[in-house]
Amino acid sequence: MSEEIKIDKSLSKEEKYKQLLPQIRSLVEGERNLTTNLAQICAALKYGMDGFFWIGFYFVEGDELVLGPFQGPVACSRIKIPNGVCGACAKRGEAIIVPDVDKFPGHIACSSLSRSEIVVPIFKEERVIGVLDVDSDEYNKFDEVDRTSLEEIASLVSSIS
Ligand code: SME
């Protein structure tokens, strides 16, 4: 059986997410291993969307975020909450869009190539259990379209966690 994700590259970002989200849902529906599903979501987003340089999950462990499945270069294994964009997102419990990472006080540069970033929280029973982090090597890559779609993925992750 083909597990290929099919995205029409000529579509707008919004339309690409619209094509991708149902495919991600059906990909994880048939599998109950969380690590497998998180790894698949990262790959689907990295290769389905354009300009996603790094994508991955961090999960809350005590007062820290610990790296989960990701796609892209090696990243920081642990981030203290509320440090960096990820820690700030976990602390605030809301999405953070950073158009230029050098302008975000305390941004943690896991890769010097990262230029912009979006982090969305993952909730379980109203508590933040983790974050979904996407970095781009282009400035200004992320907007409300990304926020809405990545929040849908965060809620899917919550439902399978
Ligand atoms: N830039 C993030 C750290 C994680 S990496 O981007 C993968 C931050 O400031 O929290």
Side-chain angles (χ1 to χ4, degrees):
M1 189 179 75
S2 167
E3 297 290 353
E4 211 179 323
I5 294 278
K6 292 189 182 71
I7 300 294
D8 179 349
K9 290 285 178 185
S10 69
L11 294 177
S12 70
K13 177 163 72 175
E14 192 164 14
E15 290 166 330
K16 279 191 193 126
Y17 276 120
K18 265 197 194 137
Q19 277 202 338
L20 190 57
L21 289 173
Q23 295 184 68
I24 288 181
R25 276 205 187 86
S26 60
L27 197 59
V28 305
E29 251 164 28
E31 175 54 57
R32 61 176 183 282
N33 184 286
L34 180 60
T35 307
T36 304
N37 285 332
L38 297 175
Q40 294 277 52
I41 291 170
C42 291
L45 280 166
K46 173 128 171 84
Y47 295 100
M49 302 304 294
D50 294 321
F52 282 19
F53 168 72
W54 191 95
I55 161 133
F57 294 96
Y58 281 91
F59 288 97
V60 175
E61 261 185 42
D63 62 353
E64 290 182 319
L65 290 165
V66 183
L67 184 61
F70 67 95
Q71 285 267 334
V74 168
C76 320
S77 298
R78 286 173 186 265
I79 295 171
K80 275 249 187 299
I81 301 169
N83 295 348
V85 188
C86 292
C89 171
K91 171 89 180 169
R92 293 181 206 169
E94 60 186 34
I96 301 179
I97 294 172
V98 183
D100 176 351
V101 294
D102 292 330
K103 297 199 171 125
F104 187 94
H107 167 260
I108 300 164
C110 290
S111 165
S112 58
L113 296 176
S114 176
R115 296 285 175 264
S116 61
E117 181 163 5
I118 180 169
V119 186
V120 303
I122 302 165
F123 291 97
K124 190 91 188 171
E125 285 151 16
E126 287 166 30
R127 269 185 331 113
V128 176
I129 58 163
V131 300
L132 171 55
D133 179 16
V134 187
D135 286 38
S136 177
D137 53 2
E138 297 165 40
Y139 291 107
N140 269 314
K141 188 67 186 172
F142 305 107
D143 56 23
E144 288 301 302
V145 170
D146 299 282
R147 186 180 63 74
T148 310
S149 304
L150 296 174
E151 282 176 349
E152 274 191 52
I153 292 180
S155 97
L156 173 67
V157 170
S158 164
S159 72
I160 59 174
S161 297

